[in-house]
């Protein structure tokens, strides 16, 4: 048997070119050349190397980020500021007013028919019914994937079909969607030297229109106050004496207190429209209203059977500020409005109104202003972001001992954050605790 043995030879590096010259023929110029890579001329690269592009053209990258920063800052000041993003839970409420009815009567004549009518609709998960004196409250919880607007339309259609079966005293049911952005932003308490219906008329007819026309204000509601009401206290004994019924008196008052157009008169010089003004202008007009005829043919007036008083409506809500009677104002913003800007405009207008009605002693007390907490919360989040950027840059400087890396962090992170405001503005997002 043959035994194969292997031996290792070690060749010095300086002797390697001489040995290769014996094994490989030299080219004509006596030098070896490294083979060239295949040519890429005429072919486009499949991907763009952003890093290489940034190194080759730094001015282009600086311009791009400068434009994004400018657009981001402009978008930031135009973004609406809210506490939470727009969110509408799938809950619909139906409120029906039935004046003077007991809870059992409300349940049998209003709540039960509405519940039976809407229970056949699709997408309803749960229905809660509450019947109390003078009102019915129904809460409908829909499935998460249900179309709320379509469900509200279907509910309205079902209720319209059965509304003719309700008693005449039942008011039209009100269907509302629950939305967080419809919650009140500012709550005010208004006080002054005037009292009673005069102060209520001042707030309703002068103050409220001034606030309602501000930018971003959707609705201004009045709470409390003493609203003027003309009361006709009818004596049942006198009704029986004259042989009249309460319905006859009610119809006589309703038909007499009308104001409507009656036509027009056309002449050679133009056209004249005629309007019948039949509204009551004083208490004497009501007292002298004829409601019927007696058995002897004489006229029966309101003053013969009733007492007419200029009073106030029975209060349902009582508002007080510092222990004194006041009128409350609840201000809601529009869906796409900036809550902070709207609240600032309202507060500025309140100062103007206090100056204009100084003789009436008009004074506004801000009971609640949710925009204050909203602005403070969003500013705190932005403040924390800047502190985080500074801490990261400080860590880079202390542990890596690189001023260049620290400066990169100070520039790149704020720039990337500001640039996101552009897309938030484009897609309709708002500044809130979740988006920040």
């Amino acid at each position: 048997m043959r035994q194969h043995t292997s031996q290792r030879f070690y060749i010095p590096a300086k002797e390697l070119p001489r040995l290769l010259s014996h094994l490989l023929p030299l080219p004509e110029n006596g030098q070896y050349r490294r083979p060239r890579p295949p040519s890429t001329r005429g072919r486009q690269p499949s991907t763009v190397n952003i890093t290489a592009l940034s190194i080759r053209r730094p001015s282009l990258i600086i311009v791009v980020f400068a434009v994004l920063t400018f657009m981001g800052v402009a978008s930031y000041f135009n973004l609406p500021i809210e506490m939470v993003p727009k969110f509408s839970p799938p809950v619909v409420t139906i409120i029906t007013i039935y004046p003077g009815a007991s809870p059992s009567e409300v349940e049998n004549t209003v709540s039960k028919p509405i519940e039976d009518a809407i229970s056949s609709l699709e997408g309803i998960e749960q229905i809660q019914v509450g019947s109390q004196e003078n009102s019915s409250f129904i809460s409908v919880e829909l499935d998460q994937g249900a179309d709320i607007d379509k469900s509200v339309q279907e509910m309205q259609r079902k209720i319209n079909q059965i509304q003719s079966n309700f008693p005449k005293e039942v008011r039209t049911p009100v269907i509302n969607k629950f939305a967080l952005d419809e919650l009140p932003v500012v709550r005010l308490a208004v006080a002054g030297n005037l009292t009673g219906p005069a102060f209520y008329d001042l707030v309703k007819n002068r103050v409220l229109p001034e606030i309602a026309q501000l930018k971003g204000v959707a609705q201004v509601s009045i709470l409390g106050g003493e609203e003027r009401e003309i009361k006709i206290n009818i004596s049942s004994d006198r009704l029986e004496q004259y042989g009249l019924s309460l319905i006859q008196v009610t119809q006589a008052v309703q038909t007499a207190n009308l104001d409507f157009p009656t036509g027009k008169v056309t002449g050679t010089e133009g056209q004249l429209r005629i309007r019948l003004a039949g509204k009551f202008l004083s208490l004497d007009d009501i007292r002298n209203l004829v409601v019927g005829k007696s058995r002897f043919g004489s006229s029966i007036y309101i003053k013969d059977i009733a007492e007419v008083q200029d009073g106030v409506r029975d209060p349902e809500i009582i508002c007080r500020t510092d222990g004194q009677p006041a009128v409350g104002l609840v201000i809601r913003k529009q869906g796409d409005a900036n809550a902070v800007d709207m609240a600032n405009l309202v507060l500025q207008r309140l100062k103007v109104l206090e100056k204009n009605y100084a003789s009436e002693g008009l004074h506004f007390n801000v009971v609640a202003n949710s925009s204050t907490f909203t602005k403070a919360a969003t500013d705190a989040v932005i403040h924390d972001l800047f502190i985080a950027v500074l801490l990261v840059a400080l860590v880079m400087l202390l542990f890596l001992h690189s001023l260049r890396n620290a400066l990169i962090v100070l520039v790149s992170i704020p720039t990337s954050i500001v640039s996101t405001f552009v897309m938030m503005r484009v897609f309709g997002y708002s500044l809130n605790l979740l988006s920040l």
Side-chain angles (χ1 to χ4, degrees), residues 188 190 196-197 199-201 203-204 221-228 312-320 325-330:
L188 303 174
V190 190
F199 181 67
Y200 185 89
D201 292 340
V203 175
K204 181 179 180 180
S221 304
I222 299 181
L223 301 178
E226 297 179 354
E227 186 177 2
R228 184 187 182 189
V312 296
R313 177 175 295 181
D314 295 335
E316 298 179 356
I317 300 175
I318 299 177
C319 294
R320 293 183 179 273
V327 177
L329 294 180
V330 178

Side-chain angles (χ1 to χ4, degrees), residues 356-412:
N356 295 339
Y357 297 99
S359 58
E360 288 82 3
L362 193 65
H363 174 68
F364 296 93
N365 184 18
V366 180
V367 178
N369 185 3
S370 62
S371 66
T372 303
F373 181 74
T374 302
K375 182 63 176 176
T378 53
D379 291 343
V381 173
I382 296 176
H383 182 262
D384 294 342
L385 288 176
F386 279 105
I387 292 179
V389 172
L390 292 176
L391 290 178
V392 172
L394 183 62
V395 170
M396 298 286 288
L397 181 62
L398 293 179
F399 289 90
L400 299 181
H401 303 286
S402 175
L403 181 61
R404 181 171 178 269
N405 292 337
L407 292 177
I408 291 174
V409 171
L410 287 176
V411 173
S412 61

Side-chain angles (χ1 to χ4, degrees), residues 5 26 112 156 167 189-190 212 227-228 272 355 389:
T5 59
L26 290 173
K112 188 62 176 176
Q156 187 67 59
V190 190
E227 186 177 2
R228 184 187 182 189
L272 181 63
K355 184 178 180 181
V389 172

Side-chain angles (χ1 to χ4, degrees), residues 207-348:
V207 175
L208 190 145
E210 291 285 340
I211 300 177
Q213 66 181 0
L214 295 177
K215 181 181 178 182
V217 176
Q219 183 182 7
V220 183
S221 304
I222 299 181
L223 301 178
E226 297 179 354
E227 186 177 2
R228 184 187 182 189
E229 184 179 67
I230 305 300
K231 297 182 178 181
I232 303 176
N233 301 322
I234 301 176
S235 173
S236 58
D237 296 335
R238 292 183 181 180
L239 277 180
E240 185 178 357
Q241 179 182 352
Y242 286 103
L244 297 176
S245 65
L246 188 60
I247 297 178
Q248 288 179 289
V249 178
T250 303
Q251 292 178 350
V253 174
Q254 291 177 348
T255 54
N257 190 31
L258 294 177
D259 188 0
F260 54 88
T262 58
K264 59 184 178 180
V265 177
T266 304
T268 57
E269 297 181 357
Q271 182 175 298
L272 181 63
R273 294 186 178 274
I274 301 176
R275 186 177 187 86
L276 178 60
K279 291 285 186 179
F280 296 130
L281 300 179
S282 63
L283 297 181
D284 291 335
D285 293 342
I286 303 176
R287 294 189 181 103
N288 296 325
L289 175 65
V290 177
V291 294
K293 296 289 184 178
S294 66
R295 287 172 289 181
F296 304 100
S298 60
S299 299
I300 304 175
Y301 300 95
I302 287 287
K303 61 184 179 181
D304 296 332
I305 61 173
E307 180 183 2
V308 182
Q309 296 178 348
D310 188 355
V312 296
R313 177 175 295 181
D314 295 335
E316 298 179 356
I317 300 175
I318 299 177
C319 294
R320 293 183 179 273
T321 173
D322 297 332
Q324 300 297 325
V327 177
L329 294 180
V330 178
I331 304 174
R332 293 177 173 84
K333 73 177 186 69
Q334 297 176 356
D336 55 347
N338 191 324
V340 177
D341 292 344
M342 188 217 71
N344 293 334
L345 291 176
V346 170
L347 296 179
Q348 294 174 6

Side-chain angles (χ1 to χ4, degrees), residues 103-157:
S104 59
E105 187 176 0
V106 171
E107 181 181 3
N108 296 328
T109 59
V110 178
S111 300
K112 188 62 176 176
I114 295 178
E115 181 183 5
D116 296 338
I118 65 175
S119 60
S120 60
L121 298 177
E122 297 181 356
I124 295 179
E125 185 173 345
Q126 186 180 7
I127 299 178
Q128 295 181 355
V129 181
S131 300
Q132 55 186 359
E133 188 175 358
N134 301 329
S135 64
S136 167
F137 179 83
I138 300 177
S139 176
V140 182
E141 183 178 353
L142 304 175
D143 296 336
Q144 292 295 332
D147 188 349
I148 300 179
D149 295 332
K150 184 178 179 181
S151 300
V152 170
Q153 294 177 1
E154 293 295 328
M155 291 180 189
Q156 187 67 59
R157 184 178 61 85

